[in-house]
Amino acid sequence: MAHSADTMPNVYDAEPIPAEAMAEIERLLGSGDLFRYTAPSDAPVALLEREFADLLGAKYALAVSSCSSALFLSLKALDMPRGARVLIPAFTFAAVPSAIVHADCVPVLVEVAENYRIDIEDFAAKLPGADAVIISHMRGHTSDMDAILDLAEAAGIPVVEDAAHSLGTTWNGRNIGTLGKIGCFSFQSYKMVNAGEGGILVTEDADLAARAIIMSGAYEHNWRKHQALAGACERWQNKLPLFNMRMQNLSAAVIRPQLPELARRVRDGRRNHDLVAARLNNCQWLRVPDALPPEVRAPDSLQFSLQGFTDDEARALEGEAKARGVGVQVFGLNRDNARAFWNWQFLGQPPELPRTRDMLMRACDTRLPARLTPEECSRIAEAIIDAAEAVKAPAQALAG
Ligand SMILES: *Cc1c(COP(=O)(O)O)cnc(C)c1O
């Protein structure tokens, strides 16, 4: 064994929060001004919305309690009626179908291919009868947005982007999250910007933004503090339910000083990912799918697929990697993995999705934070390759 487990880098710790956050948090705690709508203007949450919209080149942003809240509010803002059918990739996080259920809509799962991206043929086949689409760019793997946007437009239905794991990813040079009608992002700790919890949605559509603002809990005249949208909001005063999914000022104080760090995190995360991917792709047992040509990724984790493994060998790979100090999870092997669609028992009987199921039974998930050094990433790559060879090389020797 090339490396012992105790020399492996810690991949679980978050990056430190920039020091400016502390001064702002102290100021807020000193005044007790934590509610976003107390200050007459320039509350930290309002400033975050402006800065985030500018960063992405979007017109409007609404900060909320989580990406799940943003997805739910998107469906409500789009006025999806009870029972509306919402297409989603079958490879996503359980929170996504859950947000659809929360909005009284019905998730319709679309096949995902070996490269972790939506199977466009199955998408096109399931589009008739659908009322909306939520594209999860799962783990930051971008599906063919040109095809998806064209097909959805031809069908006359809106596309919402779940960009929870795609902050900093571009498609044909445009920011993921700004391609569909609404884009939703997460500030949960395992995403590129960490506030513990939090989310934000962006849109170019003033009316959708206004509806989402009111329903996020801008009760009475609080919507006036979204100055650019006050006219659009006024129409909806008292006409929409208030779901109270607001962000509070402390979260914004933690997020804002991280935004200037995003470019560096994206650059380092991509360097780390591409370094490990190149090493793994030199091993016949492992395969990291390529990005699609229009896509420039912003990875903060690594996914790879086992080639020619049985279920038992895939399980053994998890054990061999763990013994070398690297946590590797095969998405489909664990009975409680929230990213395996057949574990979403709250939806009832799982649909037949053999392509996605086969992919999930061999696709592996590994943490690979942007703060790791290239040297640390090399050790992780070596440990994974060692683990694969420990499982497969004896079998190969026998076969030969
Ligand atoms: C994390 C994540 C979510 C949920 O985000 P929350 O802010 O925790 O609600 C949704 N979709 C994807 C793809 C995610 O990775």
Short mmCIF file of all heavy atoms in Angstrom, two decimals, residues 36 45 48-49 62-73 102 185-189 195-201 215-217 243-248 251 255:
data_model
loop_
_atom_site.label_atom_id
_atom_site.label_comp_id
_atom_site.label_asym_id
_atom_site.label_seq_id
_atom_site.Cartn_x
_atom_site.Cartn_y
_atom_site.Cartn_z
N ARG A 36 -34.35 40.97 7.96
CA ARG A 36 -33.93 41.65 6.73
C ARG A 36 -34.73 42.91 6.43
O ARG A 36 -34.25 43.78 5.70
CB ARG A 36 -33.99 40.71 5.53
CG ARG A 36 -35.39 40.26 5.12
CD ARG A 36 -35.39 39.69 3.71
NE ARG A 36 -34.98 40.73 2.74
CZ ARG A 36 -34.70 40.51 1.47
NH1 ARG A 36 -34.77 39.29 1.00
NH2 ARG A 36 -34.37 41.50 0.67
N VAL A 45 -28.99 41.47 3.79
CA VAL A 45 -29.63 40.55 2.83
C VAL A 45 -29.89 41.28 1.51
O VAL A 45 -29.67 40.72 0.42
CB VAL A 45 -30.94 39.95 3.39
CG1 VAL A 45 -31.61 39.07 2.34
CG2 VAL A 45 -30.67 39.15 4.66
N LEU A 48 -26.61 41.63 -0.29
CA LEU A 48 -26.24 40.33 -0.88
C LEU A 48 -26.98 40.10 -2.19
O LEU A 48 -26.39 39.66 -3.19
CB LEU A 48 -26.55 39.19 0.11
CG LEU A 48 -26.51 37.79 -0.50
CD1 LEU A 48 -25.09 37.42 -0.96
CD2 LEU A 48 -27.02 36.75 0.49
N GLU A 49 -28.27 40.40 -2.20
CA GLU A 49 -29.06 40.18 -3.43
C GLU A 49 -28.50 40.97 -4.60
O GLU A 49 -28.38 40.46 -5.72
CB GLU A 49 -30.53 40.54 -3.16
CG GLU A 49 -31.21 39.49 -2.28
CD GLU A 49 -32.57 39.92 -1.75
OE1 GLU A 49 -32.91 41.11 -1.82
OE2 GLU A 49 -33.29 39.04 -1.23
N LEU A 62 -33.32 36.95 -5.15
CA LEU A 62 -34.06 36.90 -3.88
C LEU A 62 -33.39 35.87 -2.99
O LEU A 62 -33.34 34.67 -3.33
CB LEU A 62 -35.52 36.49 -4.14
CG LEU A 62 -36.34 36.22 -2.87
CD1 LEU A 62 -36.55 37.49 -2.05
CD2 LEU A 62 -37.69 35.58 -3.20
N ALA A 63 -32.86 36.32 -1.87
CA ALA A 63 -32.22 35.42 -0.92
C ALA A 63 -33.28 34.78 -0.02
O ALA A 63 -34.21 35.46 0.42
CB ALA A 63 -31.20 36.18 -0.07
N VAL A 64 -33.15 33.49 0.21
CA VAL A 64 -34.13 32.75 1.00
C VAL A 64 -33.42 31.77 1.95
O VAL A 64 -32.20 31.81 2.09
CB VAL A 64 -35.14 32.00 0.08
CG1 VAL A 64 -36.06 33.00 -0.63
CG2 VAL A 64 -34.44 31.12 -0.94
N SER A 65 -34.21 30.90 2.60
CA SER A 65 -33.68 30.07 3.67
C SER A 65 -32.87 28.87 3.17
O SER A 65 -32.08 28.31 3.92
CB SER A 65 -34.83 29.60 4.56
OG SER A 65 -35.84 29.00 3.77
N SER A 66 -33.10 28.44 1.93
CA SER A 66 -32.37 27.29 1.38
C SER A 66 -32.60 27.22 -0.11
O SER A 66 -33.52 27.89 -0.64
CB SER A 66 -32.84 25.97 2.03
OG SER A 66 -34.16 25.67 1.61
N CYS A 67 -31.83 26.38 -0.79
CA CYS A 67 -32.10 26.15 -2.22
C CYS A 67 -33.44 25.43 -2.37
O CYS A 67 -34.17 25.68 -3.33
CB CYS A 67 -30.97 25.33 -2.83
SG CYS A 67 -31.17 25.00 -4.58
N SER A 68 -33.77 24.55 -1.43
CA SER A 68 -35.07 23.87 -1.49
C SER A 68 -36.21 24.88 -1.45
O SER A 68 -37.19 24.74 -2.18
CB SER A 68 -35.20 22.89 -0.33
OG SER A 68 -34.16 21.95 -0.37
N SER A 69 -36.08 25.88 -0.59
CA SER A 69 -37.09 26.95 -0.55
C SER A 69 -37.14 27.68 -1.89
O SER A 69 -38.24 28.00 -2.38
CB SER A 69 -36.76 27.97 0.54
OG SER A 69 -36.74 27.40 1.81
N ALA A 70 -35.98 27.93 -2.48
CA ALA A 70 -35.93 28.63 -3.76
C ALA A 70 -36.64 27.81 -4.85
O ALA A 70 -37.38 28.36 -5.67
CB ALA A 70 -34.48 28.91 -4.16
N LEU A 71 -36.44 26.49 -4.84
CA LEU A 71 -37.09 25.63 -5.84
C LEU A 71 -38.60 25.64 -5.64
O LEU A 71 -39.38 25.74 -6.59
CB LEU A 71 -36.54 24.20 -5.73
CG LEU A 71 -35.08 24.02 -6.15
CD1 LEU A 71 -34.57 22.64 -5.74
CD2 LEU A 71 -34.92 24.22 -7.66
N PHE A 72 -39.03 25.51 -4.37
CA PHE A 72 -40.45 25.53 -4.05
C PHE A 72 -41.08 26.86 -4.49
O PHE A 72 -42.11 26.89 -5.17
CB PHE A 72 -40.62 25.33 -2.53
CG PHE A 72 -41.96 25.68 -2.00
CD1 PHE A 72 -43.03 24.80 -2.11
CD2 PHE A 72 -42.19 26.91 -1.37
CE1 PHE A 72 -44.29 25.13 -1.61
CE2 PHE A 72 -43.44 27.25 -0.87
CZ PHE A 72 -44.49 26.36 -1.00
N LEU A 73 -40.41 27.97 -4.14
CA LEU A 73 -40.95 29.29 -4.50
C LEU A 73 -40.96 29.49 -6.01
O LEU A 73 -41.84 30.18 -6.54
CB LEU A 73 -40.13 30.40 -3.82
CG LEU A 73 -40.35 30.54 -2.31
CD1 LEU A 73 -39.31 31.48 -1.69
CD2 LEU A 73 -41.77 31.03 -1.99
N HIS A 102 -43.83 19.39 -2.08
CA HIS A 102 -44.22 20.50 -1.20
C HIS A 102 -45.12 21.50 -1.94
O HIS A 102 -46.07 22.04 -1.38
CB HIS A 102 -42.95 21.18 -0.70
CG HIS A 102 -43.15 22.23 0.35
ND1 HIS A 102 -42.15 23.03 0.81
CD2 HIS A 102 -44.25 22.60 1.04
CE1 HIS A 102 -42.63 23.86 1.73
NE2 HIS A 102 -43.90 23.61 1.88
N PHE A 185 -29.79 28.55 -6.12
CA PHE A 185 -28.46 28.22 -5.57
C PHE A 185 -28.59 27.93 -4.08
O PHE A 185 -29.55 28.36 -3.43
CB PHE A 185 -27.49 29.38 -5.78
CG PHE A 185 -27.18 29.67 -7.22
CD1 PHE A 185 -28.02 30.49 -7.97
CD2 PHE A 185 -26.06 29.14 -7.83
CE1 PHE A 185 -27.75 30.76 -9.31
CE2 PHE A 185 -25.78 29.40 -9.16
CZ PHE A 185 -26.62 30.22 -9.90
N SER A 186 -27.58 27.23 -3.55
CA SER A 186 -27.56 26.86 -2.13
C SER A 186 -26.33 27.43 -1.45
O SER A 186 -25.24 27.46 -2.05
CB SER A 186 -27.56 25.34 -1.99
OG SER A 186 -27.43 24.97 -0.63
N PHE A 187 -26.49 27.84 -0.20
CA PHE A 187 -25.34 28.23 0.63
C PHE A 187 -25.16 27.24 1.78
O PHE A 187 -24.56 27.57 2.79
CB PHE A 187 -25.53 29.65 1.18
CG PHE A 187 -25.67 30.70 0.10
CD1 PHE A 187 -26.82 31.47 0.00
CD2 PHE A 187 -24.65 30.91 -0.81
CE1 PHE A 187 -26.96 32.44 -0.98
CE2 PHE A 187 -24.77 31.89 -1.81
CZ PHE A 187 -25.93 32.65 -1.89
N GLN A 188 -25.69 26.04 1.64
CA GLN A 188 -25.49 24.99 2.63
C GLN A 188 -23.99 24.66 2.65
O GLN A 188 -23.28 24.91 1.68
CB GLN A 188 -26.36 23.77 2.24
CG GLN A 188 -26.39 22.65 3.27
CD GLN A 188 -25.31 21.62 3.01
OE1 GLN A 188 -24.77 21.55 1.91
NE2 GLN A 188 -24.98 20.84 4.02
N SER A 189 -23.50 24.13 3.74
CA SER A 189 -22.06 24.05 3.97
C SER A 189 -21.28 23.26 2.94
O SER A 189 -20.08 23.48 2.78
CB SER A 189 -21.79 23.46 5.35
OG SER A 189 -22.12 24.40 6.34
N ALA A 195 -22.76 29.09 4.23
CA ALA A 195 -23.36 29.84 5.34
C ALA A 195 -24.05 28.88 6.30
O ALA A 195 -24.88 29.31 7.11
CB ALA A 195 -24.36 30.86 4.81
N GLY A 196 -23.72 27.61 6.24
CA GLY A 196 -24.45 26.63 7.04
C GLY A 196 -25.73 26.24 6.31
O GLY A 196 -25.90 25.11 5.89
N GLU A 197 -26.62 27.23 6.17
CA GLU A 197 -27.85 27.08 5.40
C GLU A 197 -28.09 28.37 4.63
O GLU A 197 -27.58 29.41 5.01
CB GLU A 197 -29.07 26.83 6.30
CG GLU A 197 -28.97 25.64 7.24
CD GLU A 197 -29.14 24.30 6.57
OE1 GLU A 197 -29.40 24.26 5.35
OE2 GLU A 197 -29.01 23.28 7.27
N GLY A 198 -28.92 28.30 3.61
CA GLY A 198 -29.30 29.50 2.86
C GLY A 198 -29.44 29.17 1.39
O GLY A 198 -28.93 28.16 0.91
N GLY A 199 -30.17 30.02 0.69
CA GLY A 199 -30.34 29.83 -0.75
C GLY A 199 -30.65 31.16 -1.40
O GLY A 199 -30.86 32.17 -0.71
N ILE A 200 -30.63 31.16 -2.72
CA ILE A 200 -30.95 32.40 -3.45
C ILE A 200 -31.48 32.00 -4.82
O ILE A 200 -31.09 30.95 -5.35
CB ILE A 200 -29.69 33.29 -3.55
CG1 ILE A 200 -30.03 34.73 -3.91
CG2 ILE A 200 -28.67 32.71 -4.50
CD1 ILE A 200 -28.90 35.72 -3.61
N LEU A 201 -32.41 32.78 -5.33
CA LEU A 201 -32.86 32.54 -6.71
C LEU A 201 -32.60 33.79 -7.53
O LEU A 201 -32.60 34.91 -7.01
CB LEU A 201 -34.32 32.10 -6.77
CG LEU A 201 -35.45 33.02 -6.30
CD1 LEU A 201 -35.84 34.03 -7.37
CD2 LEU A 201 -36.67 32.17 -5.94
N MET A 215 -44.20 35.79 -1.67
CA MET A 215 -44.43 34.48 -1.05
C MET A 215 -43.30 34.08 -0.11
O MET A 215 -43.50 33.27 0.78
CB MET A 215 -44.68 33.42 -2.13
CG MET A 215 -46.06 33.60 -2.75
SD MET A 215 -46.54 32.26 -3.86
CE MET A 215 -45.75 32.79 -5.37
N SER A 216 -42.09 34.65 -0.31
CA SER A 216 -41.01 34.33 0.63
C SER A 216 -41.27 34.96 2.00
O SER A 216 -40.59 34.64 2.96
CB SER A 216 -39.67 34.82 0.08
OG SER A 216 -39.55 36.22 0.22
N GLY A 217 -42.27 35.88 2.06
CA GLY A 217 -42.64 36.45 3.35
C GLY A 217 -42.45 37.95 3.46
O GLY A 217 -42.25 38.46 4.56
N PHE A 243 -45.16 32.30 2.71
CA PHE A 243 -44.59 31.04 3.21
C PHE A 243 -43.42 31.26 4.18
O PHE A 243 -42.92 30.28 4.75
CB PHE A 243 -44.15 30.17 2.03
CG PHE A 243 -45.31 29.71 1.18
CD1 PHE A 243 -45.51 30.24 -0.09
CD2 PHE A 243 -46.20 28.77 1.66
CE1 PHE A 243 -46.58 29.81 -0.87
CE2 PHE A 243 -47.28 28.34 0.89
CZ PHE A 243 -47.47 28.87 -0.39
N ASN A 244 -43.01 32.50 4.37
CA ASN A 244 -41.92 32.82 5.32
C ASN A 244 -40.70 31.93 5.16
O ASN A 244 -40.41 31.05 5.97
CB ASN A 244 -42.45 32.78 6.76
CG ASN A 244 -43.23 34.03 7.09
OD1 ASN A 244 -43.59 34.80 6.18
ND2 ASN A 244 -43.50 34.26 8.35
N MET A 245 -40.00 32.17 4.09
CA MET A 245 -38.75 31.45 3.80
C MET A 245 -37.62 32.45 3.62
O MET A 245 -36.73 32.27 2.82
CB MET A 245 -38.93 30.61 2.54
CG MET A 245 -39.94 29.51 2.73
SD MET A 245 -40.26 28.67 1.18
CE MET A 245 -40.88 27.10 1.81
N ARG A 246 -37.69 33.53 4.42
CA ARG A 246 -36.71 34.61 4.27
C ARG A 246 -35.33 34.19 4.76
O ARG A 246 -35.18 33.29 5.58
CB ARG A 246 -37.16 35.83 5.07
CG ARG A 246 -38.45 36.47 4.59
CD ARG A 246 -38.89 37.56 5.55
NE ARG A 246 -39.13 37.01 6.88
CZ ARG A 246 -40.32 36.76 7.40
NH1 ARG A 246 -41.42 37.02 6.72
NH2 ARG A 246 -40.42 36.25 8.60
N MET A 247 -34.34 34.92 4.29
CA MET A 247 -32.99 34.83 4.84
C MET A 247 -32.85 35.90 5.92
O MET A 247 -33.45 36.97 5.82
CB MET A 247 -31.94 35.05 3.76
CG MET A 247 -30.50 34.96 4.29
SD MET A 247 -29.26 35.24 3.02
CE MET A 247 -29.17 33.61 2.30
N GLN A 248 -32.07 35.62 6.94
CA GLN A 248 -31.82 36.65 7.95
C GLN A 248 -30.44 37.28 7.74
O GLN A 248 -29.58 36.74 7.05
CB GLN A 248 -31.94 36.05 9.35
CG GLN A 248 -30.96 34.93 9.64
CD GLN A 248 -30.30 35.09 10.99
OE1 GLN A 248 -30.02 36.19 11.42
NE2 GLN A 248 -30.03 33.96 11.65
N SER A 251 -26.89 35.43 8.09
CA SER A 251 -26.48 34.57 6.97
C SER A 251 -25.83 35.41 5.88
O SER A 251 -24.77 35.04 5.34
CB SER A 251 -27.69 33.84 6.39
OG SER A 251 -28.33 33.10 7.39
N ILE A 255 -22.12 35.23 4.08
CA ILE A 255 -22.00 34.94 2.64
C ILE A 255 -21.24 36.05 1.90
O ILE A 255 -20.36 35.76 1.07
CB ILE A 255 -23.41 34.77 2.02
CG1 ILE A 255 -24.08 33.52 2.58
CG2 ILE A 255 -23.31 34.70 0.50
CD1 ILE A 255 -25.59 33.49 2.35
#
